[in-house]
């Protein structure tokens, strides 16, 4: 399994957690394993790290929203943004450009038309401000 596929696993888990907030991460992971496939260590680590740090990640996302509130962002886009920011903040081995590109690819695959440019804009602005 390549890194993109592992990242996609984390995305699935983050997205599902949006609908089942009362379930623990372990329960969400168990449902994934029972119904889809074995969960990679990287997928699990990304999911749990993003979930554990969602308040900080949401604070960053909110900072870059222009005329939007975070609760208006579609859940699929929120999961993609949280995952990418998690990698940018907590996974030094992942170049920021890779995290951004992978987020854009996830948006093209799972989100609405043109949402990839919204995601690219948020992540690109954050990346430029860090420098």
């Amino acid at each position: 399994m390549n890194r993109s596929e592992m990242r996609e696993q984390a995305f699935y888990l983050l997205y599902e957690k949006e609908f089942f907030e009362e379930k623990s991460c372990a329960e969400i992971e168990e449902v994934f394993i029972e119904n889809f496939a074995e969960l990679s260590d990287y997928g699990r680590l990304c999911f749990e790290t993003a979930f554990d740090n969602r308040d900080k990640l949401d604070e960053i996302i909110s900072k870059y929203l222009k005329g939007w509130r975070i609760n208006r962002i579609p859940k699929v886009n929120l999961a993609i943004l949280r995952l990418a920011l998690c990698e940018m903040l907590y996974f030094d081995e992942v170049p920021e450009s890779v995290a951004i590109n992978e987020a854009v690819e996830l948006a093209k695959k799972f989100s609405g038309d043109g949402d990839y440019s919204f995601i690219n804009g948020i992540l690109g602005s954050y990346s430029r401000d860090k420098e």
Side-chain angles (χ1 to χ4, degrees):
M1 178 178 300
N2 65 40
R3 184 65 65 100
S4 293
E5 293 168 330
M6 293 181 221
R7 191 176 282 110
E8 193 170 304
Q9 288 183 330
F11 160 74
Y12 289 140
L13 296 169
L14 285 167
Y15 183 65
E16 185 172 342
K17 186 74 169 118
E18 286 296 305
F19 296 97
F20 299 100
E21 293 178 14
E22 72 284 352
K23 290 190 176 190
S24 70
C25 287
E27 289 173 310
I28 298 289
E29 292 165 359
E30 185 177 317
V31 169
F32 180 87
I33 292 167
E34 289 174 3
N35 292 293
F36 297 106
E38 188 62 35
L39 181 59
S40 67
D41 291 339
Y42 187 77
R44 176 179 283 116
L45 182 61
C46 285
F47 166 56
E48 291 176 0
T49 303
F51 180 75
D52 290 344
N53 294 285
R54 69 190 177 284
D55 291 338
K56 180 176 182 171
L57 300 173
D58 288 356
E59 185 178 308
I60 293 168
I61 294 166
S62 294
K63 179 180 175 184
Y64 293 96
L65 295 176
K66 306 283 190 234
W68 284 75
R69 290 191 169 184
I70 198 160
N71 62 351
R72 293 198 59 223
I73 297 175
K75 292 180 186 312
V76 66
N77 292 345
L78 189 56
I80 292 168
L81 286 166
R82 284 176 176 161
L83 175 59
L85 284 169
C86 173
E87 286 188 299
M88 293 167 80
L89 283 167
Y90 303 110
F91 294 83
D92 293 335
E93 72 276 9
V94 178
E96 286 192 5
S97 60
V98 171
I100 293 169
N101 185 61
E102 290 286 331
V104 167
E105 292 304 314
L106 284 170
K108 287 179 180 178
K109 185 173 182 179
F110 295 106
S111 196
D113 290 339
D115 284 356
Y116 68 89
S117 61
F118 168 77
I119 288 170
N120 188 54
I122 297 285
L123 298 174
S125 295
Y126 171 73
S127 180
R128 283 188 298 278
D129 283 354
K130 275 183 59 180
E131 296 171 1

